[in-house]
Structure formats: structure tokens, C-alpha cells
Amino acid sequence: MAGDETRPGAAPVPDEAEESVPFETADIYGAYPRLPDDQLARLEQHGRRRAVDAGDVLIREGERCETFYVVLSGSIAIVEGHGTADERLLRVHGPGRFIGELGLLNGQVAFYTALVRAPGEVLALSMDQLRDLVARDSVLGDVVLRACLGRRALLVGQGAGFRIIGSRYSPDTRRLREFAARNRLPHRWIDLETDEEAEELLRRFGVGPEETPLVIWRDTTLLRNPSNAELARLMGLPSLPAGNRHGDLLIVGSGPAGLAAAVNAASEGLGTTVAEAMAGGGQAATSSRIENLLGFPSGISGAELTERAVLQAHKFGARISVPAEAARLEPRDGHYAVGFADGSEITARTVVLATGARYRRLQVPGIERLEGTSVHYSATVYEAQQCRTDPVAVVGGGNSAGQAVLFLAGYTPQVNLLVRGPSLEAHMSRYLIDQVERHPRVRVLLHTEMTEAFGDRVLEAVTVVDHRTGEHRRLVVRALFVFTGADPHTEWLSGALALDARGFVLTGAEAQACSVPGLWQSQGRDCLTLETSLPGVFAAGDVRSGSVKRVASAVGEGAMSIHFVHRYLGHTATPGGTDSSPHTRPKESAWLA
């Protein structure tokens, strides 16, 4: 096995268990905890002991994880590419440790093989047994969750998982990398332009550069320029439910508002499906650090916040499908049917629209051909890694621009922040302004607007104008990050319900004023606060007209939308006062009263 990361003397030996397991991986950031005796005893009450021999495979790369294993004696090796020329040892675990990472909890395929290294005994629990146990034991649940999140982050950082081979100048390469990154799928990008390994792999699989981008998985599966949906199915991301089942609630979008709605709805007994076009978390998931969210005094990354919320929604029984792009909404027989771009359809009694908004594209000469290669509308580690030696520019004056500037300044020699206005105070929080103005690698250019982009395959420079003096000048930058306001994801709703002049969804009194005459009189009530011009269809978060564009506000609106869903379902109960849904609880939870 190549690439063994654990060697004698690599870390201090904390207890006798590690002394008996040569090369055991040290506990990195709490990702590999050793369960104490009391937790092992509780697990043993639910699981079954199983003897294992050297070479036994417990979890196989590319297959779904169906069992939770705890090592009682012996040791388990975590291996990538088992049985191939590229086999690599990632981890070794001894007694008291458990096997599994994030895919174990959310139903994805395994990105590694768990192989018995030294014979011994393991404790095996089904996933249902594990979920039941951690639901009743919050301490054990926190240990498992924290470890699984940490292990996924380490896998992503190591470049484990599948490989994407493609040119940095290819929009399809960029699309696949963005989808993988946004969904936190372990993978490694091999640049066709600079990486010598790319040519060797192309020869091995008998394909030409014109057929890229490629996705290679376990050296046995090759996808030529797959769609996001094809990649999602290969990795085990959940698809839309088969058939057209009638659920209680369909949530369209899984940003902070959609995930908050899903957690609250599912925890209160509503049959809940979430449809997401790209990845959980929305724009918030691309934030390097959110520092003004209640309960996180040291901040939290958007990716970690999203992962926790997705797992929480799964815990309560919500089904989240990715990718699923909504294409139409129409009333049908007292329910609402939502059709998707792939031709599928879901019907539900109520709908919460939480599709958020996307950053507005910058309309200047020369920029369009560079979008997806060196002009970006988000700033994640994958874009930042391409800019390590080059100056970059950020356009925008809000919090998202400020967060991106600080994040990029950790990677690049200089970040130029281009702001049209006379100061940062108008749209940026004070805590961000202080950090931006103090950072030695950040240059703030006020009264400045970008007028043109230069470069054939990659950005080489931009021109800017100073509105105070009218002076035009050229800035040499190799990447551009744009955060200039947002447009809603509502093209598919045009004509179905009332939108404002900018395309955001109207709710409450404004929606009622734009509704079909007599509609609300026939309902015997007024339009609810987050309700749209269609009774039983609600909007929450950035997609809603007049909403405050902050993570905390979106979370609050998502939770509040379920309060109104309950009120709607209660108001439209079947004759006799009983609710027709077997999944809906007879009354709202106490905090909603």
C-alpha cells in the first residue's frame, strides 16, 4: 500500500489501546475519537458482535454504507483505490473507534474501503439502530456527528474520491468542479493544461483531450462530460421520489430558509420533500465564515452550517433531492403540482418557495467569455487555489464582498476591492469593514467602477474608472469575483403567482392585492404573512419581496413559514374537522402556539 500517512513516532501514544495498534492514526481535530466504555456499553445493547479476519472488507468503496461498525479488538485500515495500482492507505483505527464518515449518515456511497488489518472483533449496528440510539443519546450523537463532519473535511482536503480531468478554461470542467465542491463530494481535479498525470490517464483510458472533462471513479467507471444529475446518481445523492406521490409539503430550494423550513416541518410530523437545483445551503454555503449568526461567537463556515442543517433535516425524516430544478407550478385538484426540468413531477398539499437569489452578472465588455474560468460569482477554496500567486479583484460593497475579500486575502498576494459608492458603511457590517481596512493585502478603491475585461482564455486585466476624476486606468488581475446584488430564482414562476417589478415573490397584503378578484373572500380569510397569491404556497428567505438578505433572517422566515403551513392545513381540513394527512400532528408544537 502506498501513501501511508501514519508512521511510528508520528504522534504521542495516549493510551494502551494505541500501543497495541501499530501505525494507528492520531485523533486529528476530534475526527477519530475513541468511544469511552459507557458509550460502548450502550452501543453493545443494540448491536451484535462479529469476529473478523485480516483481509475482510467491511465497507467497499463505491457502495452505500448500510452498517455502523465499532472496533472492539484488532484494527481496521481505511484504504482508497483498494485492489488498484493507485491503492493508498488513509487511516488505521484500533479498539474503541468507529468506522464511517458523512456518507454514512446521509446515504451516499463510500469514498473508501474499510479493510480488516489485524483480526479481532467488531460491533455492528444497522443505520436504523444507530439513528434510534443517537436520537435518544445526544452526547453520543454529537460525538458521531462531529467526527463524521471532520472526516469528510479531511477526505476533501486530501483529494480522495473521484477524479475530474479537464481544462481550467472549460466551462463544463468548472460546472463539475463547482457541483462537487458545493456538495462537499471528495474529489481531485487534474488540470489538462498543467498536470502531467492528465496525459497518462487519457492514454490509459483511450480518450482524447477533446472528450474531456472526464470523471474517473475507482478506475472502473468513466463518465464523459456527465451532467450534474449523472454525477449525483453515481455518488449516491438522493433523487426525486419515484412516482407522483401526494405529500404534505414540498420545499423548493435548500438554502438557510429551505433547510430551516425542512427541519421544522419534518420534526412536527409533516411529510416533507426538499428539491434543490444545485446544492444545499444556497449562497450561504459559499461563505468562508459567517460571524454575525446568533450562537456562533467564533463564526462558522457556510459549508459546515449547511452540512449540519442537512443532517438535522434528514434526522427528522425530510427527503432532500439534488439536483432537481423546478420548472413550473400549477394548482391541481386542491394540491399543487411542481414539474422539474428532467420531466418529473411532485404533488403536495402545500409548497414553500425558498429558491433564494443569485448574484447579478456583471455586464461589461469582455467578461462573458471569461465567466466560469476566471470570472466567478462565488469565492470558495477551489477558486482561491487557482489564484495563489496572482492579484485578484472583487466587485461589490456588501457583506458577501467583504467576506470574499478576507477569504481571498489568505491565498493571494493582493485583493483589489472595487466599490462604486463613497464608503463601505452603506451596505457592509462594521465588523467586516474593520477587518477589510486593516488587512495588509487588501486595497479598497472607492468611487470605482469596472468598465472592461481583457483576456482570451483567462483574465489578464480590467479597466476601471474613478467617478470623482473621470480617470480610467488598467489593473492587472488574474481573477475577478463579482458580488453586485442578487436576482431571484423565479423565472419558472412567472405567470403562476404575483411577483414584484424585480421578480421577487410578493407575500401577505401585497400578494392579496394582486390576487384574482374574490380569491380570498372564497377562502374566508386574508392572505397570511408569508403566503403568496396562491393559497397554500408560501415564500421565505431571499426570494421573498422585502426580505432582509441575511442568513439569520432567512432561517427565521423558513421556520415561521411552517407555522403558516399548519394554519393553512388546519383551515383547509376535511369536513368534520380532521386533517386528511396521516403525517400531520393534530396541533402545532408549543412554541408555535
Side-chain angles (χ1 to χ4, degrees):
M1 295 182 185
D4 190 339
E5 68 158 22
T6 53
R7 293 177 172 82
V13 178
D15 56 30
E16 294 180 0
E18 288 194 1
E19 290 179 348
S20 65
V21 182
F23 312 117
E24 185 179 47
T25 305
D27 184 9
I28 305 170
Y29 310 123
Y32 310 120
R34 197 179 310 284
L35 300 178
D37 291 342
D38 60 328
Q39 291 181 346
L40 288 173
R42 286 197 292 276
L43 287 166
E44 194 161 2
Q45 292 174 3
H46 298 266
R48 59 182 178 85
R49 286 176 171 263
R50 172 179 159 188
V52 292
D53 294 321
D56 286 352
V57 174
L58 302 182
I59 297 174
R60 193 175 297 278
E61 190 172 351
E63 297 180 0
R64 289 185 184 273
C65 307
E66 302 290 347
T67 306
F68 179 74
Y69 292 103
V70 181
V71 185
L72 298 178
S73 62
S75 64
I76 306 296
I78 304 302
V79 178
E80 182 189 19
H82 177 53
T84 72
D86 299 321
E87 182 169 319
R88 179 167 60 134
L89 177 63
L90 300 176
R91 320 269 186 251
V92 176
H93 299 306
R97 290 189 176 180
F98 65 86
I99 309 302
E101 55 94 44
L102 196 62
L104 178 78
L105 303 180
N106 59 22
Q108 293 176 10
V109 299
F111 291 92
Y112 55 84
T113 293
L115 189 69
V116 177
R117 181 169 177 144
E121 195 173 28
V122 298
L123 184 66
L125 287 82
S126 70
M127 290 310 301
D128 287 340
Q129 289 173 318
L130 177 65
R131 292 188 187 101
D132 180 64
L133 181 59
V134 300
R136 292 185 282 108
D137 186 337
S138 60
V139 175
L140 178 60
D142 287 344
V143 170
V144 172
L145 173 60
R146 186 165 54 250
C148 286
L149 289 172
R151 294 175 186 190
R152 173 55 62 94
L154 289 168
L155 281 175
V156 169
Q158 282 187 311
F162 61 92
R163 288 169 286 185
I164 299 174
I165 303 177
S167 168
R168 64 177 60 192
Y169 306 120
S170 163
D172 280 320
T173 299
R174 163 70 186 175
R175 170 182 57 80
L176 290 169
R177 292 183 65 217
E178 180 181 13
F179 183 79
R182 292 282 301 276
N183 285 282
R184 301 284 286 170
L185 299 175
H187 70 285
R188 180 160 59 95
W189 170 49
I190 301 172
D191 189 357
L192 195 62
E193 307 296 330
T194 61
D195 200 319
E196 295 180 359
E197 185 183 358
E199 185 175 350
E200 189 276 326
L201 285 169
L202 293 181
R203 284 199 303 268
R204 185 194 303 180
F205 287 94
V207 296
E210 69 280 358
E211 296 179 82
T212 60
L214 303 175
V215 169
I216 300 175
W217 177 228
R218 295 178 295 149
D219 275 359
T220 60
T221 302
L222 175 70
L223 300 181
R224 291 174 169 83
N225 194 15
S227 66
N228 289 350
E230 289 174 312
L231 180 57
R233 300 297 83 80
L234 182 65
M235 296 299 115
L237 297 184
S239 58
L240 289 167
N244 187 8
R245 296 186 294 178
H246 291 238
D248 294 318
L249 172 66
L250 172 64
I251 301 169
V252 185
S254 67
L259 290 173
V263 168
N264 282 270
S267 68
E268 293 163 17
L270 293 173
T272 304
T273 298
V274 183
E276 168 56 50
M278 170 59 79
Q283 287 183 173
T286 67
S287 296
S288 57
R289 183 148 299 272
I290 303 169
E291 296 187 78
N292 59 351
L293 184 61
L294 184 68
F296 297 94
S298 60
I300 185 171
S301 73
E304 184 178 355
L305 180 68
T306 296
E307 286 175 339
R308 289 175 175 271
V310 168
L311 288 174
Q312 196 174 9
H314 280 307
K315 168 185 171 181
F316 290 119
R319 181 187 179 94
I320 302 176
S321 301
V322 180
E325 183 178 357
R328 59 179 171 81
L329 167 68
E330 61 183 55
R332 185 181 300 166
D333 301 327
H335 290 66
Y336 288 98
V338 175
F340 295 87
D342 65 356
S344 59
E345 184 179 89
I346 292 180
T347 303
R349 301 170 66 200
T350 57
V351 175
V352 170
L353 303 172
T355 50
R358 58 174 170 265
Y359 287 110
R360 196 169 296 131
R361 296 167 76 110
L362 197 60
Q363 303 294 327
V364 299
I367 199 171
E368 186 174 355
R369 66 178 178 272
L370 301 172
E371 289 178 333
T373 56
S374 51
V375 174
H376 312 291
Y377 293 87
S378 64
T380 71
V381 65
Y382 296 94
E383 292 90 9
Q385 286 175 343
Q386 297 182 48
C387 311
R388 286 191 178 276
T389 60
D390 301 313
V392 303
V394 175
V395 178
N399 277 1
S400 295
Q403 290 166 346
V405 163
L406 295 172
F407 174 66
L408 292 166
Y411 288 82
T412 67
Q414 184 174 52
V415 182
N416 300 281
L417 178 59
L418 313 181
V419 183
R420 284 193 305 177
S423 71
L424 295 176
E425 279 79 1
H427 302 290
M428 192 179 293
S429 297
R430 184 73 247 174
Y431 80 94
L432 280 173
I433 295 173
D434 292 342
Q435 294 180 63
V436 167
E437 291 180 340
R438 288 198 306 263
H439 203 291
R441 288 192 292 277
V442 174
R443 180 169 60 158
V444 180
L445 302 176
L446 302 174
H447 302 279
T448 301
E449 187 171 1
M450 178 179 155
T451 58
E452 192 169 358
F454 297 91
D456 293 326
R457 302 182 69 186
V458 65
L459 183 67
E460 298 173 3
V462 299
T463 54
V464 299
V465 59
D466 187 323
H467 288 302
R468 292 169 299 183
T469 64
E471 176 191 3
H472 286 76
R473 57 178 168 151
R474 186 182 180 104
L475 292 178
V476 175
V477 293
R478 300 305 184 198
L480 179 69
F481 298 84
V482 182
F483 303 92
T484 56
D487 293 318
H489 288 285
T490 55
E491 299 89 347
W492 64 285
L493 295 169
S494 180
L497 46 71
L499 308 174
D500 69 12
R502 296 173 57 200
F504 290 89
V505 178
L506 292 172
T507 56
E510 292 179 305
Q512 183 167 339
C514 298
S515 299
V516 175
L519 173 64
W520 296 102
Q521 290 88 335
S522 69
Q523 295 289 310
R525 62 178 178 85
D526 287 332
C527 183
L528 298 170
T529 304
L530 297 182
E531 199 167 20
T532 71
S533 57
L534 290 175
V537 177
F538 303 86
D542 288 2
V543 74
R544 190 179 69 82
S545 179
S547 66
V548 179
K549 306 302 189 276
R550 292 288 187 271
V551 172
S553 299
V555 169
E557 288 194 8
M560 189 166 64
S561 71
I562 305 309
H563 170 56
F564 295 119
V565 165
H566 280 296
R567 287 181 58 179
Y568 170 80
L569 291 174
H571 193 83
T572 57
T574 55
T578 57
D579 197 322
S580 61
S581 170
H583 304 290
T584 307
R585 294 179 181 175
K587 62 179 181 179
E588 300 165 1
S589 49
W591 73 270
L592 290 172

Short mmCIF file of all heavy atoms in Angstrom, two decimals, residues 515-549:
data_model
loop_
_atom_site.label_atom_id
_atom_site.label_comp_id
_atom_site.label_asym_id
_atom_site.label_seq_id
_atom_site.Cartn_x
_atom_site.Cartn_y
_atom_site.Cartn_z
N SER A 515 -53.98 39.46 -6.20
CA SER A 515 -54.60 38.15 -6.45
C SER A 515 -55.84 38.27 -7.32
O SER A 515 -56.37 39.36 -7.55
CB SER A 515 -54.97 37.49 -5.12
OG SER A 515 -53.83 37.28 -4.32
N VAL A 516 -56.30 37.13 -7.79
CA VAL A 516 -57.53 37.07 -8.58
C VAL A 516 -58.69 37.62 -7.73
O VAL A 516 -58.81 37.27 -6.55
CB VAL A 516 -57.83 35.62 -8.99
CG1 VAL A 516 -59.17 35.51 -9.70
CG2 VAL A 516 -56.69 35.08 -9.88
N PRO A 517 -59.53 38.50 -8.29
CA PRO A 517 -60.64 39.07 -7.50
C PRO A 517 -61.51 37.97 -6.87
O PRO A 517 -61.86 36.98 -7.52
CB PRO A 517 -61.43 39.87 -8.55
CG PRO A 517 -60.40 40.24 -9.59
CD PRO A 517 -59.47 39.07 -9.65
N GLY A 518 -61.83 38.16 -5.61
CA GLY A 518 -62.70 37.22 -4.91
C GLY A 518 -62.00 36.01 -4.34
O GLY A 518 -62.63 35.21 -3.63
N LEU A 519 -60.69 35.84 -4.63
CA LEU A 519 -60.00 34.63 -4.18
C LEU A 519 -60.01 34.50 -2.66
O LEU A 519 -60.37 33.45 -2.12
CB LEU A 519 -58.55 34.64 -4.69
CG LEU A 519 -57.65 33.52 -4.16
CD1 LEU A 519 -58.15 32.15 -4.61
CD2 LEU A 519 -56.20 33.72 -4.60
N TRP A 520 -59.64 35.54 -1.97
CA TRP A 520 -59.50 35.44 -0.52
C TRP A 520 -60.85 35.46 0.18
O TRP A 520 -61.01 34.89 1.25
CB TRP A 520 -58.56 36.52 0.00
CG TRP A 520 -57.19 36.30 -0.57
CD1 TRP A 520 -56.61 36.96 -1.61
CD2 TRP A 520 -56.27 35.28 -0.20
NE1 TRP A 520 -55.39 36.44 -1.90
CE2 TRP A 520 -55.14 35.39 -1.04
CE3 TRP A 520 -56.28 34.29 0.78
CZ2 TRP A 520 -54.04 34.55 -0.95
CZ3 TRP A 520 -55.18 33.45 0.88
CH2 TRP A 520 -54.07 33.58 0.03
N GLN A 521 -61.84 36.12 -0.47
CA GLN A 521 -63.20 36.03 0.09
C GLN A 521 -63.67 34.58 0.05
O GLN A 521 -64.33 34.10 0.99
CB GLN A 521 -64.16 36.93 -0.70
CG GLN A 521 -63.94 38.42 -0.49
CD GLN A 521 -62.91 39.00 -1.46
OE1 GLN A 521 -62.05 38.27 -1.96
NE2 GLN A 521 -63.00 40.29 -1.72
N SER A 522 -63.33 33.87 -1.01
CA SER A 522 -63.74 32.46 -1.10
C SER A 522 -63.02 31.60 -0.07
O SER A 522 -63.51 30.54 0.32
CB SER A 522 -63.47 31.93 -2.51
OG SER A 522 -62.07 31.82 -2.76
N GLN A 523 -61.85 32.07 0.37
CA GLN A 523 -61.11 31.34 1.40
C GLN A 523 -61.63 31.64 2.79
O GLN A 523 -61.33 30.92 3.75
CB GLN A 523 -59.62 31.72 1.34
CG GLN A 523 -58.91 31.33 0.06
CD GLN A 523 -58.69 29.83 -0.04
OE1 GLN A 523 -58.21 29.19 0.88
NE2 GLN A 523 -59.06 29.26 -1.19
N GLY A 524 -62.39 32.72 2.91
CA GLY A 524 -62.91 33.10 4.22
C GLY A 524 -61.87 33.66 5.15
O GLY A 524 -62.02 33.63 6.38
N ARG A 525 -60.79 34.21 4.60
CA ARG A 525 -59.70 34.76 5.42
C ARG A 525 -58.84 35.66 4.55
O ARG A 525 -58.99 35.72 3.33
CB ARG A 525 -58.84 33.63 5.99
CG ARG A 525 -58.16 32.79 4.92
CD ARG A 525 -57.27 31.71 5.54
NE ARG A 525 -56.65 30.85 4.52
CZ ARG A 525 -55.52 31.15 3.88
NH1 ARG A 525 -54.90 32.29 4.14
NH2 ARG A 525 -55.02 30.32 2.98
N ASP A 526 -57.90 36.34 5.21
CA ASP A 526 -56.92 37.14 4.48
C ASP A 526 -55.68 36.31 4.19
O ASP A 526 -55.43 35.26 4.81
CB ASP A 526 -56.52 38.37 5.31
CG ASP A 526 -57.62 39.41 5.37
OD1 ASP A 526 -58.42 39.48 4.41
OD2 ASP A 526 -57.68 40.15 6.37
N CYS A 527 -54.89 36.81 3.28
CA CYS A 527 -53.61 36.17 2.93
C CYS A 527 -52.68 36.23 4.14
O CYS A 527 -52.51 37.29 4.77
CB CYS A 527 -52.99 36.90 1.74
SG CYS A 527 -51.44 36.21 1.12
N LEU A 528 -52.06 35.10 4.49
CA LEU A 528 -51.16 35.04 5.63
C LEU A 528 -49.84 35.77 5.33
O LEU A 528 -49.50 36.01 4.16
CB LEU A 528 -50.89 33.59 6.00
CG LEU A 528 -52.13 32.78 6.44
CD1 LEU A 528 -51.80 31.30 6.54
CD2 LEU A 528 -52.67 33.31 7.76
N THR A 529 -49.09 36.08 6.36
CA THR A 529 -47.93 36.96 6.23
C THR A 529 -46.92 36.49 5.17
O THR A 529 -46.42 37.29 4.39
CB THR A 529 -47.21 37.09 7.59
OG1 THR A 529 -48.15 37.54 8.56
CG2 THR A 529 -46.05 38.07 7.51
N LEU A 530 -46.58 35.21 5.14
CA LEU A 530 -45.61 34.69 4.17
C LEU A 530 -46.28 33.95 3.02
O LEU A 530 -45.61 33.29 2.24
CB LEU A 530 -44.62 33.76 4.87
CG LEU A 530 -43.74 34.37 5.95
CD1 LEU A 530 -42.76 33.33 6.52
CD2 LEU A 530 -42.96 35.58 5.42
N GLU A 531 -47.60 34.09 2.90
CA GLU A 531 -48.33 33.41 1.84
C GLU A 531 -48.29 34.22 0.56
O GLU A 531 -48.31 35.45 0.58
CB GLU A 531 -49.78 33.19 2.28
CG GLU A 531 -50.53 32.12 1.50
CD GLU A 531 -51.83 31.75 2.18
OE1 GLU A 531 -52.33 32.54 3.01
OE2 GLU A 531 -52.35 30.65 1.90
N THR A 532 -48.25 33.54 -0.57
CA THR A 532 -48.21 34.19 -1.88
C THR A 532 -49.63 34.41 -2.38
O THR A 532 -50.60 34.20 -1.65
CB THR A 532 -47.42 33.33 -2.87
OG1 THR A 532 -48.19 32.16 -3.19
CG2 THR A 532 -46.07 32.91 -2.29
N SER A 533 -49.76 34.80 -3.63
CA SER A 533 -51.08 35.00 -4.22
C SER A 533 -51.79 33.69 -4.51
O SER A 533 -52.92 33.69 -5.00
CB SER A 533 -50.96 35.83 -5.50
OG SER A 533 -50.09 35.20 -6.43
N LEU A 534 -51.16 32.56 -4.22
CA LEU A 534 -51.80 31.25 -4.29
C LEU A 534 -51.96 30.71 -2.87
O LEU A 534 -50.96 30.50 -2.17
CB LEU A 534 -50.96 30.27 -5.12
CG LEU A 534 -50.87 30.52 -6.63
CD1 LEU A 534 -49.91 29.53 -7.27
CD2 LEU A 534 -52.24 30.43 -7.28
N PRO A 535 -53.17 30.48 -2.39
CA PRO A 535 -53.37 29.96 -1.04
C PRO A 535 -52.64 28.62 -0.86
O PRO A 535 -52.76 27.71 -1.68
CB PRO A 535 -54.88 29.77 -0.95
CG PRO A 535 -55.45 30.73 -1.95
CD PRO A 535 -54.45 30.75 -3.08
N GLY A 536 -51.86 28.53 0.23
CA GLY A 536 -51.12 27.30 0.50
C GLY A 536 -49.74 27.26 -0.11
O GLY A 536 -49.00 26.30 0.09
N VAL A 537 -49.36 28.32 -0.84
CA VAL A 537 -48.00 28.45 -1.36
C VAL A 537 -47.34 29.61 -0.62
O VAL A 537 -47.87 30.73 -0.62
CB VAL A 537 -47.97 28.70 -2.88
CG1 VAL A 537 -46.54 28.91 -3.36
CG2 VAL A 537 -48.61 27.54 -3.62
N PHE A 538 -46.20 29.36 0.00
CA PHE A 538 -45.53 30.33 0.85
C PHE A 538 -44.14 30.64 0.31
O PHE A 538 -43.57 29.86 -0.46
CB PHE A 538 -45.45 29.82 2.29
CG PHE A 538 -46.79 29.47 2.87
CD1 PHE A 538 -47.35 28.21 2.67
CD2 PHE A 538 -47.51 30.40 3.59
CE1 PHE A 538 -48.60 27.88 3.18
CE2 PHE A 538 -48.76 30.10 4.11
CZ PHE A 538 -49.31 28.83 3.90
N ALA A 539 -43.59 31.77 0.69
CA ALA A 539 -42.23 32.15 0.28
C ALA A 539 -41.45 32.58 1.50
O ALA A 539 -41.98 33.25 2.40
CB ALA A 539 -42.27 33.28 -0.74
N ALA A 540 -40.17 32.20 1.54
CA ALA A 540 -39.32 32.51 2.69
C ALA A 540 -37.90 32.78 2.23
O ALA A 540 -37.42 32.17 1.28
CB ALA A 540 -39.34 31.36 3.70
N GLY A 541 -37.23 33.69 2.91
CA GLY A 541 -35.83 33.97 2.60
C GLY A 541 -35.66 34.96 1.48
O GLY A 541 -36.54 35.77 1.18
N ASP A 542 -34.50 34.90 0.83
CA ASP A 542 -34.11 35.91 -0.15
C ASP A 542 -35.07 36.03 -1.33
O ASP A 542 -35.14 37.08 -1.96
CB ASP A 542 -32.71 35.61 -0.68
CG ASP A 542 -31.63 35.88 0.36
OD1 ASP A 542 -31.98 36.26 1.49
OD2 ASP A 542 -30.44 35.71 0.04
N VAL A 543 -35.80 34.97 -1.66
CA VAL A 543 -36.69 35.01 -2.82
C VAL A 543 -37.92 35.87 -2.56
O VAL A 543 -38.59 36.32 -3.49
CB VAL A 543 -37.11 33.58 -3.22
CG1 VAL A 543 -38.16 33.02 -2.23
CG2 VAL A 543 -37.66 33.54 -4.65
N ARG A 544 -38.19 36.18 -1.32
CA ARG A 544 -39.41 36.92 -0.95
C ARG A 544 -39.18 38.42 -1.06
O ARG A 544 -38.18 38.94 -0.59
CB ARG A 544 -39.84 36.55 0.48
CG ARG A 544 -41.21 37.09 0.85
CD ARG A 544 -41.58 36.67 2.26
NE ARG A 544 -40.74 37.35 3.25
CZ ARG A 544 -40.98 38.59 3.70
NH1 ARG A 544 -42.00 39.29 3.22
NH2 ARG A 544 -40.17 39.13 4.59
N SER A 545 -40.13 39.10 -1.68
CA SER A 545 -40.04 40.55 -1.81
C SER A 545 -40.04 41.20 -0.44
O SER A 545 -40.87 40.91 0.41
CB SER A 545 -41.24 41.07 -2.62
OG SER A 545 -41.19 42.47 -2.76
N GLY A 546 -39.07 42.08 -0.21
CA GLY A 546 -38.99 42.80 1.05
C GLY A 546 -38.24 42.09 2.16
O GLY A 546 -38.15 42.62 3.27
N SER A 547 -37.70 40.91 1.89
CA SER A 547 -36.99 40.18 2.93
C SER A 547 -35.64 40.83 3.23
O SER A 547 -35.06 41.53 2.40
CB SER A 547 -36.78 38.72 2.52
OG SER A 547 -35.90 38.64 1.41
N VAL A 548 -35.15 40.61 4.44
CA VAL A 548 -33.81 41.06 4.83
C VAL A 548 -32.81 40.00 4.38
O VAL A 548 -32.92 38.84 4.75
CB VAL A 548 -33.72 41.26 6.35
CG1 VAL A 548 -32.31 41.70 6.76
CG2 VAL A 548 -34.74 42.30 6.80
N LYS A 549 -31.84 40.38 3.57
CA LYS A 549 -30.93 39.41 2.98
C LYS A 549 -29.81 39.06 3.95
O LYS A 549 -28.66 39.47 3.80
CB LYS A 549 -30.37 39.97 1.66
CG LYS A 549 -31.43 40.42 0.66
CD LYS A 549 -32.37 39.30 0.28
CE LYS A 549 -33.30 39.67 -0.88
NZ LYS A 549 -34.50 40.41 -0.47
#
